[in-house]
Amino acid sequence: MSSSATNPACGILFGIGVGPGDPELVTLKAQRVLQSVPIICTPHSDTSRDSFALSIARQFIDTDRQELLRFGFPTDDAVAASRVWETAAETLAVRLKQGQDVAFITEGDPMLFSTFSYVLESIRSNHPEITVEIIPGVSSVMAAAARASLPLVTHGQRLAILPAVYGIDDLREAIANYDTIVLMKVNRVLLDALANLESLGLAGKGIYVRRATTEREQVVRDLQQLGEEDLDYFSLLIIKR
Amino acid sequence: MSSSATNPACGILFGIGVGPGDPELVTLKAQRVLQSVPIICTPHSDTSRDSFALSIARQFIDTDRQELLRFGFPTDDAVAASRVWETAAETLAVRLKQGQDVAFITEGDPMLFSTFSYVLESIRSNHPEITVEIIPGVSSVMAAAARASLPLVTHGQRLAILPAVYGIDDLREAIANYDTIVLMKVNRVLLDALANLESLGLAGKGIYVRRATTEREQVVRDLQQLGEEDLDYFSLLIIKR
C-alpha cells in the first residue's frame, strides 16, 4: 500500500490502534509489532500524567529495551496542536531515517477521531519516502455497543457518528435521516441537548457509555440520571430511534 | 452487563467479531475464547461453501475437540432469513441450557451490520436467562481506511455509514451534511450512482476497497475503473468531500 517512492533504508512508521481500553482487545498484530519495535510514541494531553493509549499498551512494552517517546498536546487550541504535531512528526522522522521502526499508538482506531491522522499527514507531506503501515483497532463505538448489548445497525440501516459539539438542530437532522446516531465525547452542550430528547420523540432511546471495557466503565440507560460528574472525554451516547 | 435474571448453570453465548480478514487482526480475547469454547457457530450464505468469518477464525479452532455448527441463510429474503435465525437461536439455546458455551463468530464487528444481532434478539426474547457476552472486533470500515491510508474523520468531523442500497438523492443528502461517507457493499445501483459523483462535485474523492487485509484485497482510487467484476459483498466505498 505504500507509495513506490518509499525508502527501504528508512524505518517503518506504524500507526497502531490499541482498542477501547481492555488490553485483551488489542489485536495479535498490534501485540506483535508493539513487542518488536524499538520506539513507541504516545501522545498525551496537557492535563493527564499518562496517556490512555499507553495505559492500554503498557503490558506489551518492555521499557528496558524499548524507548518511550511522549508528546504532550493542547486539547483545546487547534493551531497550537497542529504545531505540536509538526514537531512530533519531525522528531519521529529523524528516528525513522536512522532506520528505526516507530509505533505511534492511539486508543481505539487510528483512522477514527485520532491524533495519528495529523502525524500521518505531516509525515506524508514532508517525508513521502517513509513507509507507513496502519494497524486498525477496535473502536470505542463498537466496544460501547457491545457492552450496552445494543446492535448499532442491521441490514439496510444507516449510522451517523458525530462529534458531540453540536446542538439540537444537528441532532434533529441526524435523527430524521439515520437509524442510529453515535455522539462522541459527551459534554455540557450535549447534556443540555438531551433535555430535548423527549420533544424529539426519543425519550428512553439513548444509552450513555463511558470508558467501555475498562474498570471505570459505566453504562447508563436513563439519561436523566446523567450529570456534570459523568462528563468524560472517553464517553459516548448511542441513540437508536 | 448481563441481566440479573441470568442462569449460571447455562453456558455463555459469545458474539465474537473476528475482524476484517487478516487472522492477525483478531483480538487476544477473541483468540482466547475461540480456543476454549466447545462449540463454534458460523453463519454462511446459500451460495458460499465456507463462511468468511470461519475462514478467518479457522486457525484458532481445533475441530478434533471443538464442534462446528453451521447455519445457512438466504441473503435476499428477509422473512425466510428471520425464520432461519429463530431456528438457529433455538438450536443454540438447547446447547447453552446444557451448560455448554457457544461462540457465534462474525466477520468484522458483531454490532455493525452483523447477523449476530438477529440471534441476539431471538435469544434475549425467548431465553432471557442466558448470559450473552459480546466481544467487539475490528470493523471492515476501519480496516479499509487503514489500507487506503485515509483518515475517516478527525476532530469535529461527521461520519455517515450507509448500506449501499440507496440512489443519488440519498447520497446528496449525506454529502450535504457529512464530511465522510462510507457506503457498504458496492453493488450495481451504487456503481450507477457513482457516475454522478462529478455532478456532485466529488470526482476523484472516492476510494473503493474490497476485502481489506485479505489476499484478495483491492484498493481502487479511480472509480471509473470499477466494473461489474468488482462488485463484492465485502467491499465498500469511502467518499471524503
Side-chain angles (χ1 to χ4, degrees):
Chain A
M1 295 305 307
S2 51
S3 106
S4 56
T6 55
N7 185 345
C10 289
I12 296 172
L13 173 60
F14 293 95
I16 303 185
V18 295
D22 178 354
E24 224 191 348
L25 291 175
V26 163
T27 65
L28 301 174
K29 185 167 188 175
Q31 180 189 41
R32 173 174 61 79
V33 174
L34 277 175
Q35 289 174 338
S36 67
V37 290
I39 301 169
I40 289 126
C41 175
T42 170
H44 65 95
S45 67
D46 286 346
T47 50
S48 68
R49 265 166 304 177
D50 218 354
S51 85
F52 187 32
L54 182 58
S55 73
I56 300 167
R58 194 167 269 289
Q59 70 181 74
F60 307 109
I61 299 169
D62 176 0
T63 50
D64 284 346
R65 56 176 188 82
Q66 293 174 295
E67 182 183 358
L68 268 184
L69 278 181
R70 301 182 202 213
F71 293 103
F73 66 94
T75 44
D76 291 329
D77 182 339
V79 176
S82 99
R83 245 179 273 124
V84 169
W85 293 123
E86 289 251 331
T87 307
E90 288 310 308
T91 304
L92 299 185
V94 170
R95 302 308 203 74
L96 290 158
K97 288 184 177 182
Q98 289 167 350
Q100 292 184 290
D101 291 344
V102 175
F104 187 103
I105 58 174
T106 62
E107 63 270 5
D109 178 81
M111 297 284 103
L112 192 71
F113 299 117
S114 162
T115 49
F116 177 69
S117 50
Y118 306 118
V119 171
L120 175 65
E121 192 186 335
S122 187
I123 290 283
R124 202 186 278 147
S125 299
N126 302 322
H127 307 281
E129 69 278 22
I130 291 173
T131 300
V132 179
E133 183 175 350
I134 298 160
I135 302 176
V138 174
S139 164
S140 63
V141 177
M142 282 71 183
R147 298 303 293 159
S149 208
L150 184 73
L152 290 167
V153 275
T154 52
H155 184 75
Q157 293 187 325
R158 304 164 167 216
L159 173 67
I161 301 178
L162 308 181
V165 291
Y166 299 105
I168 188 71
D169 289 339
D170 303 283
L171 208 50
R172 208 183 303 267
E173 178 282 318
I175 287 162
N177 291 303
Y178 292 80
D179 300 280
T180 304
I181 302 135
V182 176
L183 297 159
M184 310 294 290
K185 296 174 189 137
V186 176
N187 57 25
R188 185 68 257 166
V189 176
L190 181 59
L191 277 190
D192 293 343
L194 292 182
N196 296 295
L197 278 186
E198 204 151 344
S199 70
L200 293 169
L202 293 172
K205 300 201 170 171
I207 295 186
Y208 166 91
V209 185
R210 182 177 81 179
R211 295 182 182 255
T213 80
T214 73
E215 283 173 11
R216 292 173 59 194
E217 174 182 288
Q218 194 184 7
V219 178
V220 179
R221 286 164 204 272
D222 177 3
L223 299 185
Q224 309 234 316
Q225 288 179 6
L226 284 180
E228 287 285 347
E229 70 282 5
D230 296 308
L231 302 183
D232 192 308
Y233 190 81
F234 299 106
S235 65
L236 56 81
L237 193 76
I238 304 171
I239 299 174
K240 216 167 164 180
R241 61 166 199 213
Chain B
M1 294 307 304
S2 53
S3 110
S4 56
T6 55
N7 185 344
C10 291
I12 296 172
L13 172 61
F14 292 95
I16 302 185
V18 295
D22 178 355
E24 224 191 348
L25 291 175
V26 163
T27 65
L28 301 175
K29 186 168 187 174
Q31 180 188 41
R32 174 174 61 79
V33 174
L34 277 174
Q35 289 174 338
S36 66
V37 291
I39 301 169
I40 289 126
C41 175
T42 171
H44 65 96
S45 66
D46 285 346
T47 50
S48 68
R49 262 166 305 176
D50 217 353
S51 85
F52 187 33
L54 182 57
S55 73
I56 299 167
R58 196 168 267 289
Q59 70 180 76
F60 306 108
I61 298 168
D62 175 2
T63 49
D64 285 346
R65 56 175 188 84
Q66 293 173 295
E67 182 183 356
L68 268 184
L69 279 181
R70 303 183 202 211
F71 293 102
F73 65 95
T75 44
D76 291 328
D77 183 339
V79 176
S82 101
R83 244 178 275 123
V84 169
W85 293 124
E86 289 251 333
T87 307
E90 287 311 307
T91 305
L92 299 186
V94 170
R95 301 310 203 72
L96 289 158
K97 288 183 178 183
Q98 289 167 350
Q100 292 184 292
D101 291 344
V102 176
F104 186 103
I105 57 174
T106 61
E107 63 270 5
D109 178 82
M111 297 285 101
L112 193 72
F113 299 117
S114 160
T115 50
F116 177 69
S117 49
Y118 305 119
V119 171
L120 174 66
E121 192 187 335
S122 187
I123 288 283
R124 202 185 279 145
S125 299
N126 302 323
H127 307 282
E129 70 278 20
I130 291 173
T131 300
V132 179
E133 184 174 349
I134 299 160
I135 302 177
V138 175
S139 163
S140 63
V141 177
M142 282 70 183
R147 298 302 294 158
S149 208
L150 183 73
L152 289 166
V153 274
T154 52
H155 184 75
Q157 293 186 325
R158 301 162 168 219
L159 172 67
I161 301 179
L162 308 181
V165 289
Y166 299 104
I168 188 70
D169 288 339
D170 303 283
L171 208 51
R172 209 184 304 265
E173 177 282 319
I175 287 162
N177 291 303
Y178 292 80
D179 299 279
T180 304
I181 302 135
V182 175
L183 297 159
M184 310 294 290
K185 297 175 187 134
V186 176
N187 57 26
R188 184 68 257 163
V189 175
L190 181 59
L191 278 189
D192 292 343
L194 293 181
N196 295 295
L197 279 187
E198 204 151 344
S199 70
L200 293 170
L202 293 172
K205 300 200 172 174
I207 296 186
Y208 167 91
V209 184
R210 183 175 79 179
R211 295 181 184 254
T213 80
T214 72
E215 282 173 10
R216 292 172 59 194
E217 175 182 287
Q218 194 185 8
V219 178
V220 179
R221 286 163 204 274
D222 177 4
L223 300 184
Q224 309 234 316
Q225 289 179 6
L226 284 181
E228 288 285 346
E229 70 281 8
D230 296 308
L231 301 183
D232 190 298
Y233 190 81
F234 298 106
S235 64
L236 57 82
L237 192 77
I238 303 170
I239 298 175
K240 217 169 163 177
R241 62 165 198 214

